[in-house]
Amino acid sequence: FVHWSQAQTIVDAQAAVNPHGVWSHEFTVPPGALDVSVSGEFTALPNSPRHGNSRGTESGKDHDSGIEAYVLTNSAFVVWSGGYSTETLYQSGSIARDVINAPLPPGGGVYDLVFSNRASERAKTVHATVLLRYRSGWPNAVLRLKERLWSWIGL
């Protein structure tokens, strides 16, 4: 079997994450995918306060710059969103910057990339570039070509 490497962008942008909030993006791995992984990097920056610090207690160092990143199956994301603990495929811990390298099971599936700011009182902006990488064999390419052909002729 001949295998072709594929790379799809999951996210290449910045996302605003509210205090105690989450930002998520759903992505799909095609059926028959092999050597599947999610890779990339992210940086979280706290948003500037609107009116400065009136208490004068800041020492100039921001201790609330971290955000948590997760890669979850779609069903695990539903459980996690309900406040329950679940199995993760990747979890960064509260950190301001990290590199994601998460292997996924072979085959198709629906997953979620999540940035969580649940533990913070402060909004964050996350800059992320994350890719889905996998290999597909020629049988999958032939099946996709057949599906396009049937769609094109209206069957």
Side-chain angles (χ1 to χ4, degrees), residues 86-108:
T86 187
E87 185 176 329
T88 62
L89 300 165
Y90 168 82
Q91 181 176 354
S92 68
S94 184
I95 193 163
R97 173 183 299 235
D98 202 10
V99 173
I100 299 171
N101 189 7
L104 303 182

Side-chain angles (χ1 to χ4, degrees), residues 103-120:
L104 303 182
V110 179
Y111 299 88
D112 290 274
L113 172 65
V114 180
F115 292 105
S116 173
N117 198 28
R118 286 182 173 173
S120 178

Side-chain angles (χ1 to χ4, degrees), residues 62-108:
D62 192 347
H63 298 287
D64 187 18
S65 61
I67 199 146
E68 294 181 72
Y70 298 89
V71 175
L72 305 158
T73 64
N74 193 251
S75 57
F77 176 63
V78 171
V79 171
W80 181 86
S81 295
Y84 297 98
S85 180
T86 187
E87 185 176 329
T88 62
L89 300 165
Y90 168 82
Q91 181 176 354
S92 68
S94 184
I95 193 163
R97 173 183 299 235
D98 202 10
V99 173
I100 299 171
N101 189 7
L104 303 182

Side-chain angles (χ1 to χ4, degrees), residues 9 17-18 25-26 42 51 57 60 63-64 67 76 90 93 99 118-119 128 141 146:
T9 301
V17 187
N18 292 326
H25 181 76
E26 185 177 282
F42 69 90
H51 303 291
T57 58
H63 298 287
D64 187 18
I67 199 146
Y90 168 82
V99 173
R118 286 182 173 173
K146 182 189 104 181

Side-chain angles (χ1 to χ4, degrees), residues 4-6 8 29-33 134-152:
W4 288 280
S5 293
Q6 306 285 327
Q8 294 177 348
V29 176
Y134 62 93
R135 294 180 357 157
S136 62
W138 68 267
N140 290 328
V142 170
L143 289 174
R144 284 193 303 270
L145 182 61
K146 182 189 104 181
E147 289 171 7
R148 288 183 194 149
L149 177 64
W150 289 127
S151 294
W152 182 71

